[in-house]
Amino acid sequence: MTDSKKIEDGGPVPVDDSWTAGLQSDQWDEKTRGKKMSDASGRVIYKYQMPVLERFTMRLPIGAKIIRMADQGGMFWLWAEVRTDVPDEERHFWAFKCGGKIPDDINIKYIGFCAVFVQQELGLYIYEEVSHAAD
């Protein structure tokens, strides 16, 4: 949506605020994240449900800092310090079990560990794919 704002000399200045439509605070999905506990905005900690897959992509606010990862109630969860006033970006993750082959041609960094129970505990080590310029 394009709007205009007045500046001190009284002239209109066009403002394009269409990017705000993709803000995290507007994308709360109660099906996967449960009831929203706070209307805090700006810099906050949010909890996200992760898929239990070998490779997956998640949408997080640009610059989200992952601070914790854990399994709860048979699901995988990620906690991140985020800004609610920035658009989302796609982040790519890999999950490896102990003894699983890690491809040589990917640049990843370790994020955390989660366990899933399928007749026995299966631990998955979660890595995030990073650009070759980072780390």
Side-chain angles (χ1 to χ4, degrees), residues 9-82:
D9 69 0
V13 176
V15 176
D16 181 7
D17 61 356
S18 60
W19 68 272
T20 60
L23 295 184
Q24 187 62 29
S25 60
D26 296 331
Q27 296 179 357
W28 194 272
D29 182 359
E30 288 189 5
K31 290 177 187 169
T32 59
R33 296 181 65 191
K35 193 86 170 149
K36 190 171 184 179
M37 304 292 283
S38 168
D39 287 327
S41 61
R43 188 172 165 199
V44 298
I45 296 172
Y46 275 163
K47 178 181 179 180
Y48 298 85
Q49 185 178 350
M50 300 185 314
V52 182
L53 299 169
E54 291 180 352
R55 288 184 71 180
F56 59 94
T57 299
M58 292 182 65
R59 293 189 59 78
L60 299 170
I62 291 173
K65 179 182 175 186
I66 298 168
I67 57 173
R68 181 176 174 222
M69 199 172 271
D71 48 280
Q72 290 182 341
M75 295 185 227
F76 289 2
W77 298 93
L78 170 152
W79 287 259
E81 181 182 309
V82 302

Side-chain angles (χ1 to χ4, degrees), residues 76-112:
F76 289 2
W77 298 93
L78 170 152
W79 287 259
E81 181 182 309
V82 302
R83 292 212 54 96
T84 61
D85 56 355
V86 299
D88 287 348
E89 66 180 348
E90 287 191 347
R91 308 254 304 249
H92 306 284
F93 298 89
W94 295 71
F96 300 101
K97 60 185 176 187
C98 188
K101 169 72 172 131
I102 299 174
D104 292 324
D105 62 344
I106 58 173
N107 188 17
I108 53 177
K109 71 176 181 177
Y110 177 74
I111 300 296

